[in-house]
PDB file of all heavy atoms in Angstrom:
ATOM      1  N   SER A   9      73.299  99.450  75.554  1.00  0.00           N
ATOM      2  CA  SER A   9      73.010 100.758  76.141  1.00  0.00           C
ATOM      3  C   SER A   9      74.339 101.435  76.441  1.00  0.00           C
ATOM      4  O   SER A   9      75.394 100.766  76.502  1.00  0.00           O
ATOM      5  CB  SER A   9      72.188 100.592  77.425  1.00  0.00           C
ATOM      6  OG  SER A   9      72.881  99.763  78.326  1.00  0.00           O
ATOM      7  N   VAL A  10      74.278 102.761  76.624  1.00  0.00           N
ATOM      8  CA  VAL A  10      75.512 103.494  76.927  1.00  0.00           C
ATOM      9  C   VAL A  10      76.098 102.936  78.224  1.00  0.00           C
ATOM     10  O   VAL A  10      75.380 102.744  79.205  1.00  0.00           O
ATOM     11  CB  VAL A  10      75.217 105.004  77.048  1.00  0.00           C
ATOM     12  CG1 VAL A  10      76.448 105.752  77.561  1.00  0.00           C
ATOM     13  CG2 VAL A  10      74.779 105.561  75.695  1.00  0.00           C
ATOM     14  N   GLY A  11      77.375 102.642  78.192  1.00  0.00           N
ATOM     15  CA  GLY A  11      78.043 102.068  79.355  1.00  0.00           C
ATOM     16  C   GLY A  11      78.189 100.557  79.270  1.00  0.00           C
ATOM     17  O   GLY A  11      78.939  99.967  80.058  1.00  0.00           O
ATOM     18  N   TYR A  12      77.482  99.952  78.309  1.00  0.00           N
ATOM     19  CA  TYR A  12      77.589  98.490  78.158  1.00  0.00           C
ATOM     20  C   TYR A  12      79.052  98.113  77.914  1.00  0.00           C
ATOM     21  O   TYR A  12      79.725  98.701  77.067  1.00  0.00           O
ATOM     22  CB  TYR A  12      76.732  98.012  76.979  1.00  0.00           C
ATOM     23  CG  TYR A  12      76.835  96.533  76.719  1.00  0.00           C
ATOM     24  CD1 TYR A  12      75.974  95.634  77.344  1.00  0.00           C
ATOM     25  CD2 TYR A  12      77.810  96.024  75.857  1.00  0.00           C
ATOM     26  CE1 TYR A  12      76.090  94.260  77.120  1.00  0.00           C
ATOM     27  CE2 TYR A  12      77.928  94.661  75.623  1.00  0.00           C
ATOM     28  CZ  TYR A  12      77.064  93.781  76.265  1.00  0.00           C
ATOM     29  OH  TYR A  12      77.180  92.433  76.037  1.00  0.00           O
ATOM     30  N   GLU A  13      79.535  97.132  78.648  1.00  0.00           N
ATOM     31  CA  GLU A  13      80.922  96.678  78.484  1.00  0.00           C
ATOM     32  C   GLU A  13      80.943  95.299  77.844  1.00  0.00           C
ATOM     33  O   GLU A  13      80.279  94.384  78.329  1.00  0.00           O
ATOM     34  CB  GLU A  13      81.642  96.651  79.835  1.00  0.00           C
ATOM     35  CG  GLU A  13      81.848  98.046  80.400  1.00  0.00           C
ATOM     36  CD  GLU A  13      82.703  98.077  81.653  1.00  0.00           C
ATOM     37  OE1 GLU A  13      83.268  97.025  82.023  1.00  0.00           O
ATOM     38  OE2 GLU A  13      82.814  99.152  82.249  1.00  0.00           O
ATOM     39  N   PHE A  14      81.675  95.187  76.789  1.00  0.00           N
ATOM     40  CA  PHE A  14      81.818  93.896  76.112  1.00  0.00           C
ATOM     41  C   PHE A  14      82.745  93.003  76.944  1.00  0.00           C
ATOM     42  O   PHE A  14      83.586  93.509  77.698  1.00  0.00           O
ATOM     43  CB  PHE A  14      82.410  94.084  74.711  1.00  0.00           C
ATOM     44  CG  PHE A  14      81.492  94.808  73.771  1.00  0.00           C
ATOM     45  CD1 PHE A  14      81.487  96.201  73.700  1.00  0.00           C
ATOM     46  CD2 PHE A  14      80.601  94.111  72.977  1.00  0.00           C
ATOM     47  CE1 PHE A  14      80.630  96.870  72.853  1.00  0.00           C
ATOM     48  CE2 PHE A  14      79.729  94.778  72.132  1.00  0.00           C
ATOM     49  CZ  PHE A  14      79.743  96.163  72.072  1.00  0.00           C
ATOM     50  N   PRO A  15      82.613  91.697  76.796  1.00  0.00           N
ATOM     51  CA  PRO A  15      83.548  90.817  77.500  1.00  0.00           C
ATOM     52  C   PRO A  15      84.999  91.148  77.121  1.00  0.00           C
ATOM     53  O   PRO A  15      85.273  91.488  75.965  1.00  0.00           O
ATOM     54  CB  PRO A  15      83.158  89.415  77.000  1.00  0.00           C
ATOM     55  CG  PRO A  15      81.734  89.555  76.559  1.00  0.00           C
ATOM     56  CD  PRO A  15      81.616  90.949  76.015  1.00  0.00           C
ATOM     57  N   VAL A  16      85.866  91.078  78.089  1.00  0.00           N
ATOM     58  CA  VAL A  16      87.277  91.387  77.832  1.00  0.00           C
ATOM     59  C   VAL A  16      87.854  90.329  76.893  1.00  0.00           C
ATOM     60  O   VAL A  16      87.628  89.129  77.084  1.00  0.00           O
ATOM     61  CB  VAL A  16      88.070  91.411  79.164  1.00  0.00           C
ATOM     62  CG1 VAL A  16      89.554  91.625  78.909  1.00  0.00           C
ATOM     63  CG2 VAL A  16      87.525  92.501  80.073  1.00  0.00           C
ATOM     64  N   ALA A  17      88.551  90.793  75.860  1.00  0.00           N
ATOM     65  CA  ALA A  17      89.168  89.863  74.903  1.00  0.00           C
ATOM     66  C   ALA A  17      90.678  89.890  75.100  1.00  0.00           C
ATOM     67  O   ALA A  17      91.284  90.959  75.196  1.00  0.00           O
ATOM     68  CB  ALA A  17      88.820  90.275  73.486  1.00  0.00           C
ATOM     69  N   SER A  18      91.261  88.719  75.164  1.00  0.00           N
ATOM     70  CA  SER A  18      92.705  88.612  75.319  1.00  0.00           C
ATOM     71  C   SER A  18      93.250  87.854  74.114  1.00  0.00           C
ATOM     72  O   SER A  18      92.671  86.846  73.709  1.00  0.00           O
ATOM     73  CB  SER A  18      92.997  87.849  76.615  1.00  0.00           C
ATOM     74  OG  SER A  18      94.374  87.793  76.827  1.00  0.00           O
ATOM     75  N   TYR A  19      94.300  88.342  73.518  1.00  0.00           N
ATOM     76  CA  TYR A  19      94.819  87.646  72.340  1.00  0.00           C
ATOM     77  C   TYR A  19      96.324  87.845  72.209  1.00  0.00           C
ATOM     78  O   TYR A  19      96.874  88.863  72.618  1.00  0.00           O
ATOM     79  CB  TYR A  19      94.097  88.094  71.058  1.00  0.00           C
ATOM     80  CG  TYR A  19      93.949  89.583  70.914  1.00  0.00           C
ATOM     81  CD1 TYR A  19      94.868  90.323  70.225  1.00  0.00           C
ATOM     82  CD2 TYR A  19      92.864  90.247  71.494  1.00  0.00           C
ATOM     83  CE1 TYR A  19      94.739  91.688  70.104  1.00  0.00           C
ATOM     84  CE2 TYR A  19      92.725  91.622  71.378  1.00  0.00           C
ATOM     85  CZ  TYR A  19      93.662  92.329  70.684  1.00  0.00           C
ATOM     86  OH  TYR A  19      93.549  93.684  70.588  1.00  0.00           O
ATOM     87  N   GLU A  20      96.953  86.816  71.614  1.00  0.00           N
ATOM     88  CA  GLU A  20      98.401  86.843  71.437  1.00  0.00           C
ATOM     89  C   GLU A  20      98.727  87.386  70.050  1.00  0.00           C
ATOM     90  O   GLU A  20      98.093  87.000  69.060  1.00  0.00           O
ATOM     91  CB  GLU A  20      98.984  85.435  71.595  1.00  0.00           C
ATOM     92  CG  GLU A  20     100.506  85.447  71.581  1.00  0.00           C
ATOM     93  CD  GLU A  20     101.117  84.054  71.604  1.00  0.00           C
ATOM     94  OE1 GLU A  20     100.367  83.065  71.747  1.00  0.00           O
ATOM     95  OE2 GLU A  20     102.348  83.971  71.449  1.00  0.00           O
ATOM     96  N   LEU A  21      99.688  88.274  70.000  1.00  0.00           N
ATOM     97  CA  LEU A  21     100.131  88.845  68.733  1.00  0.00           C
ATOM     98  C   LEU A  21     101.415  88.113  68.343  1.00  0.00           C
ATOM     99  O   LEU A  21     102.517  88.641  68.484  1.00  0.00           O
ATOM    100  CB  LEU A  21     100.328  90.345  68.885  1.00  0.00           C
ATOM    101  CG  LEU A  21      99.031  91.084  69.265  1.00  0.00           C
ATOM    102  CD1 LEU A  21      99.321  92.407  69.932  1.00  0.00           C
ATOM    103  CD2 LEU A  21      98.136  91.275  68.054  1.00  0.00           C
TER     104      LEU A  21
END
Side-chain angles (χ1 to χ4, degrees):
Chain A
S9 57
V10 172
Y12 177 90
E13 292 187 8
F14 293 87
V16 176
S18 183
Y19 47 93
E20 187 185 354
L21 299 157

